[in-house]
Amino acid sequence: MANDKDDSKVRVTSTQTEVLSDSSELAKSIQDKSLEPALIVIQGENLGRVHRLRPGRNLVGRSSSAQILVEHRAASGSHAELRVDDAGIVVLEDLQSTNGTFVNGKRVQAPVPLKANDQVKVGNVVFKFVESRMETDFAENLHHKSTRDPMTGVYNKEYLLNQAASAVSTAKQGFPLALIMMDLDHFKKVNDTFGHVAGDYVLIETSRLIREGGVLRSGEIVGRYGGEEFMILLPDTKLEEAGKIAERIRAIIQHHDYVFEGKRIPVTSSLGVAAWRPVHATAEALIQEADALLYESKRGGRNRVTIAK
């Protein structure tokens, strides 16, 4: 006896088996899982950074409450918003910003639905709008690999220098900026006494402490400058506050239990803190001052913070 042919497609989940009797329904199910709207920075600060858009409102601007932060004086605090509805449609609206929001070179006058590859400009930053989760994942992985130190996971020197140059450019327009250079004390002795694997552990753990210790705020950047030296970039931060941040970092490192293979490793740090002044024509000049202050901490006995006068 011949069986009737069944063209149904079956999808099995952890909680149920669902029969999709229509091939278009199956295609829609696959498509839904492949969509994840995002903005990718293609010009301006944080080049290559991916901002995944969550359902509902996504605020863009200079405000600390913005999900997509644009730290440039041409951006308003609440500059624009992107609304993602249940169907995944993304609508962009300018929030009466001073300098406007642009899509593909045209100023936004009313809410506009975005489509794949649209370019959105806010301040000096240009974003590319993407819908594909595959494209979003690829861009995010590429950005991570190009900007992060592979061992510690914090930002690498190239990224730090790029961000410092951008921050100095902003500081020249009247915004505060501070910078901390930090070096682990007697790090060669750690390697010689406990081994290089233990030394790597100390670098990784120190990076984690600074990143996750509750010291840094959104928009503040920590990275590995080289060897056992780290740089912390503090936009919109005055010298006095930066000095307090540096002191908290020094204390966290000193009092943390670094234990590797059952052995406790004593770790301390020396830090130098500088703030941008008109004498700093370039980011390198600001870094050099903070680095000189770091070595003043070293000469003064280590495990201390030296702040610019």
Side-chain angles (χ1 to χ4, degrees):
M1 181 176 173
N3 291 328
D4 292 336
K5 184 178 179 181
D6 185 357
D7 290 327
S8 297
K9 307 294 189 295
V10 178
R11 178 175 65 201
V12 180
T13 70
S14 59
T15 57
Q16 63 183 350
T17 301
E18 181 180 350
V19 178
L20 304 178
S21 58
D22 188 278
S23 59
S24 64
E25 187 180 348
L26 176 64
K28 182 178 183 300
S29 173
I30 295 171
Q31 183 184 38
D32 288 345
K33 287 180 171 59
S34 69
L35 295 178
E36 185 172 4
L39 292 181
I40 301 172
V41 179
I42 60 172
Q43 180 179 311
E45 295 180 16
N46 295 310
L47 189 65
R49 182 172 180 178
V50 176
H51 298 274
R52 295 176 188 263
L53 302 179
R54 65 185 188 183
R57 296 177 67 247
N58 297 263
L59 181 64
V60 184
R62 283 177 49 213
S63 168
S64 59
S65 62
Q67 286 78 40
I68 302 174
L69 194 63
V70 178
E71 295 182 296
H72 189 264
R73 72 184 186 94
S76 300
S78 297
H79 193 104
E81 75 171 18
L82 298 112
R83 295 188 296 273
V84 184
D85 67 15
D86 293 339
I89 296 172
V90 179
V91 175
L92 170 69
E93 181 178 0
D94 181 78
L95 300 178
Q96 297 182 335
S97 64
T98 303
N99 296 303
T101 304
F102 297 81
V103 175
N104 300 326
K106 296 181 179 179
R107 186 162 185 160
V108 173
Q109 303 292 347
V112 56
L114 294 181
K115 58 185 183 298
N117 299 319
D118 276 347
Q119 293 187 10
V120 178
K121 184 176 181 182
V122 175
N124 70 333
V125 178
V126 178
F127 303 93
K128 175 184 175 183
F129 175 68
V130 298
E131 296 177 313
S132 163
R133 175 174 293 176
M134 181 180 295
E135 188 172 359
T136 300
D137 288 345
F138 176 78
E140 196 164 61
N141 289 335
L142 190 64
H143 180 253
H144 189 276
K145 289 180 180 178
S146 65
T147 61
R148 300 281 178 166
D149 175 62
M151 184 174 70
T152 62
V154 296
Y155 289 110
N156 59 29
K157 183 175 181 179
E158 182 180 1
Y159 184 82
L160 288 172
L161 293 176
N162 287 336
Q163 291 303 299
S166 178
V168 165
S169 177
T170 301
K172 289 178 179 179
Q173 297 161 8
F175 295 90
L177 170 67
L179 186 143
I180 300 170
M181 296 298 292
M182 184 194 88
D183 193 79
L184 297 180
D185 298 328
H186 301 298
F187 189 71
K188 183 177 183 301
K189 185 177 179 180
V190 171
N191 281 329
D192 291 344
T193 304
F194 299 95
H196 287 275
V197 177
D200 290 348
Y201 156 77
V202 168
L203 293 173
I204 294 168
E205 187 70 355
T206 299
S207 300
R208 185 188 67 79
L209 289 172
I210 299 173
R211 211 172 49 230
E212 302 175 8
V215 179
L216 302 183
R217 300 165 298 186
S218 175
E220 296 176 340
I221 296 171
V222 59
R224 187 179 177 196
Y225 195 73
E228 66 272 23
E229 191 169 12
F230 294 81
M231 187 176 99
I232 300 136
L233 192 62
L234 306 170
D236 292 319
T237 305
K238 295 183 178 179
L239 184 63
E240 182 180 0
E241 179 60 26
K244 293 176 182 177
I245 292 171
E247 176 55 32
R248 289 201 292 272
I249 291 172
R250 185 206 63 77
I252 286 172
I253 292 171
Q254 180 186 5
H255 298 296
H256 181 68
D257 283 330
Y258 288 83
V259 179
F260 182 76
E261 295 184 345
K263 297 176 182 178
R264 188 180 184 282
I265 305 173
V267 180
T268 61
S269 60
S270 297
L271 302 94
V273 186
W276 183 86
R277 294 175 288 124
V279 69
H280 300 122
T282 63
E284 286 75 12
L286 178 59
I287 293 169
Q288 286 172 6
E289 181 179 0
D291 209 39
L293 293 164
L294 182 163
Y295 282 95
E296 192 173 323
S297 292
K298 294 275 192 187
R299 290 191 296 270
R302 293 182 169 83
N303 191 25
R304 62 185 63 204
V305 175
T306 302
I307 303 172
K309 295 180 175 62

